[in-house]
Amino acid sequence: MSVEQSTFVAGLSLPQGNDDAATLLQQARTDSYDFCVTALPHLSSSTPRLDVTALESKWWSTSIVGEVTDPPSENSHQDDNMVTDPPPVPGAKLVSQLSSPHTLMSAEKTLRSSITWAGHMNIPAVILPPIPGHQLGAMNYARMVSSLSLQCSATNVQLWIRTPFSAEAFSEFELLARRIGNASNVGIILCFGLDTHRKMDSSDSQTSIHISSIGLLHRFLGMNLKCVSFDTAIFLTNKRGYPTLSKTYQLLFIELLRRVGRTVRVLVEGGCRHHPPMTTPDANGATGCLPYLQYLRHLRNRQEVTSLLDTEESAMETPYLDNLQSPLQPLGDDLEFSTYEVFEKDPVKYQNYQNAVELALHDLVTGAKGSLDSLSIAEKREYGNNFSHRVTILVLGAGRGPLIRSSLSAVESFNRSQAENMSSVSSGGGIPALVKARVIAVEKNPLAVLFFEKFVCQGGSLG
């Protein structure tokens, strides 16, 4: 359970109270959410933020994500508890001003002031509005994001751009990424909202939806995907009154978790739209959105996900995911103990080496081009009459010896299969062609010799 909790980071964004991060975070953490989204203040606003002193800096830097919104004068008044359908996209009007030369300067000033405040508060990430569809607006948006990414590189603020799950939106972000030089601190928050939901519902073939959607998802996974957002409006209601996702969304979410489940964050937004039966007084949680988190965690705990994410190998890989690594120089530098240890946990590499050596032995002994030397009579007396051939395996760059162990295991497996095949022949009378191996290990790191010496002391045979 602790492994799952550490790899499933979920946040909450509510239309009401998104300018009071202290209260929302307290309620969200009561419902086991890890972070919440708050609207970034507009410095021109006369309404003060009362939560700036209600939260310590450690909460601002770990559990708060900012969001660029429209200035107060741009928003129409609505009841805090009202959930609109479709919900308005935060900051959409502000970004649309980038398309007009008359409002361009004002919009850029507002955006920059919001990001500056986020950096001052050490907020780790800021959600930006979607890329405008207008060509001029998209170019100005890219220029602005490029400037903001440089500004944020000094404060370690990540910029998450709202991107609907559609091929058009992917193309727009791909173009933006090229325009800003693929800045590493600019990523995607992939939004599954009402627009996407209605497009899927309007299609006649669910099979075609699955194929095209999975293909599109893989394209998004190839970009800098930071977060995935589920609007509560796309959740269906099951027979018991609890929220659930359609089969298509389940398939997409599970595939996403299987691929990037250890690094991607999950965001629930849009407010409560479902009212399950109140089995207990706090069944819906302090926010009213506890059932959504419980359902998403249920999908996270499905066997096809846990079998990939909750393994020892996955835990070992986590610190290295999405990190630029300096290339190792094993011919110039002597690798450290911990580096060897990490490499040796590769679940595929050494098994493939063993399979390759075993196949090579099969070709050399039983194939038409057999070229192994036969053992002399003296050697047969020393090793046993069952052995008929000698093979020398040269391991260059032996490290601490995992390739040596794989090679010797391959020889043992080959000899075992040869003996089993010979015993299964009904005519009998044959002698299995068993191989005696000699391994020559070459390693430039003198510290690794200690491991070879221990191997030989334990009965290994090295040349």
Side-chain angles (χ1 to χ4, degrees):
M1 186 64 176
S2 59
V3 174
E4 182 271 333
Q5 288 178 346
S6 65
T7 60
F8 187 85
V9 180
L12 180 66
S13 176
L14 296 179
Q16 68 272 17
N18 64 353
D19 58 349
D20 185 0
T23 301
L24 180 56
L25 181 61
Q26 181 181 11
Q27 295 174 346
R29 291 185 65 84
T30 299
D31 290 351
S32 298
Y33 283 95
D34 301 289
F35 67 92
C36 69
V37 176
T38 185
L40 296 178
H42 300 278
L43 301 185
S44 60
S45 174
S46 60
T47 304
R49 285 289 293 252
L50 302 179
D51 57 354
V52 291
T53 56
L55 285 176
E56 298 179 16
S57 60
K58 66 177 182 179
W59 297 114
W60 286 103
S61 62
T62 59
S63 304
I64 302 294
V65 169
E67 182 166 32
V68 172
T69 60
D70 296 320
S73 60
E74 300 288 341
N75 294 326
S76 59
H77 176 75
Q78 69 176 28
D79 185 2
D80 283 345
N81 295 320
M82 183 177 65
V83 179
T84 59
D85 186 12
V89 178
K93 294 183 179 179
L94 177 64
V95 169
S96 67
Q97 296 176 358
L98 296 174
S99 303
S100 171
H102 303 291
T103 55
L104 175 61
M105 296 293 292
S106 174
E108 289 187 353
K109 182 179 179 180
T110 301
L111 282 167
R112 192 174 297 279
S113 65
S114 296
I115 301 300
T116 301
W117 188 84
H120 170 72
M121 300 300 291
N122 292 325
I123 292 177
V126 171
I127 301 175
L128 298 181
I131 303 170
H134 192 275
Q135 184 176 2
L136 177 59
M139 294 179 61
N140 289 332
Y141 186 92
R143 178 177 54 82
M144 187 67 193
V145 170
S146 179
S147 175
L148 292 176
S149 70
L150 293 176
Q151 175 184 337
C152 292
S153 62
T155 56
N156 295 322
V157 176
Q158 296 281 325
L159 300 177
W160 298 352
I161 297 179
R162 281 190 177 275
T163 308
F165 185 69
S166 67
E168 296 81 7
F170 174 84
S171 299
E172 291 173 354
F173 183 86
E174 190 177 33
L175 177 59
L176 171 77
R178 291 200 299 269
R179 284 172 169 170
I180 65 175
N182 293 293
S184 60
N185 59 349
V186 178
I188 290 177
I189 174 171
L190 185 58
C191 300
F192 293 105
L194 272 180
D195 291 342
T196 306
H197 188 62
R198 286 165 179 163
K199 288 180 181 178
M200 290 184 176
D201 284 349
S202 63
S203 177
D204 295 330
S205 173
Q206 289 296 316
T207 302
S208 64
I209 289 177
H210 292 169
I211 296 175
S212 61
S213 297
I214 289 295
L216 179 59
L217 178 65
H218 287 172
R219 296 174 67 189
F220 273 108
L221 293 177
M223 305 300 287
N224 194 12
L225 181 61
K226 295 295 186 180
C227 182
V228 57
S229 164
F230 289 97
D231 194 298
T232 55
I234 70 171
F235 283 82
L236 308 176
T237 305
N238 65 13
K239 295 179 180 179
R240 299 178 57 193
Y242 287 92
T244 183
L245 289 174
S246 66
K247 293 295 184 181
T248 299
Y249 281 121
Q250 291 182 39
L251 180 67
L252 291 172
F253 186 50
I254 289 174
E255 179 65 16
L256 183 144
L257 289 175
R258 285 166 53 87
R259 292 286 301 276
V260 293
R262 299 191 73 87
T263 58
V264 75
R265 299 131 182 108
V266 179
L267 179 63
V268 176
E269 55 184 344
C272 179
R273 294 173 179 265
H274 295 75
H275 303 281
M278 297 291 289
T279 54
T280 61
D282 57 347
N284 294 335
T287 62
C289 292
L290 177 59
Y292 301 105
L293 177 60
Q294 291 174 333
Y295 176 74
L296 294 175
R297 286 191 183 276
H298 163 71
L299 295 180
R300 165 59 177 80
N301 288 326
R302 289 177 61 164
Q303 193 275 335
E304 57 264 45
V305 178
T306 57
S307 62
L308 289 178
L309 300 187
D310 297 344
T311 62
E312 182 180 353
E313 290 82 5
S314 296
M316 180 268 295
E317 294 169 354
T318 300
Y320 303 94
L321 296 177
D322 293 336
N323 285 304
L324 183 63
Q325 302 291 327
S326 299
L328 296 174
Q329 301 291 338
L331 296 180
D333 304 323
D334 292 336
L335 301 183
E336 298 177 350
F337 176 86
S338 59
T339 305
Y340 283 122
E341 191 173 58
V342 170
F343 285 172
E344 291 169 11
K345 291 180 180 179
D346 191 314
V348 178
K349 172 182 176 181
Y350 299 105
Q351 183 60 48
N352 286 344
Y353 268 106
Q354 179 176 333
N355 296 340
V357 172
E358 187 172 351
L359 290 172
L361 290 174
H362 184 274
D363 291 342
L364 291 172
V365 173
T366 64
K369 298 181 179 180
S371 58
L372 290 182
D373 296 332
S374 298
L375 292 177
S376 64
I377 296 177
E379 289 173 327
K380 288 185 177 181
R381 290 197 190 101
E382 180 182 356
Y383 302 134
N385 291 328
N386 289 335
F387 292 97
S388 59
H389 294 81
R390 179 196 313 113
V391 62
T392 300
I393 301 176
L394 181 62
V395 179
L396 303 179
R400 299 196 309 175
L403 290 177
I404 298 173
R405 290 189 289 272
S406 296
S407 299
L408 295 178
S409 296
V411 173
E412 292 179 4
S413 178
F414 172 78
N415 288 338
R416 187 167 50 251
S417 63
Q418 285 288 96
E420 291 174 353
N421 291 339
M422 186 60 65
S423 63
S424 64
V425 176
S426 59
S427 59
I431 298 177
L434 303 186
V435 173
K436 185 63 179 179
R438 178 171 179 261
V439 177
I440 300 176
V442 178
E443 172 56 49
K444 66 160 289 285
N445 186 354
L447 303 178
V449 175
L450 297 174
F451 296 93
F452 298 157
E453 293 174 347
K454 177 183 177 182
F455 185 83
V456 173
C457 291
Q458 292 178 340
S461 176
L462 298 177

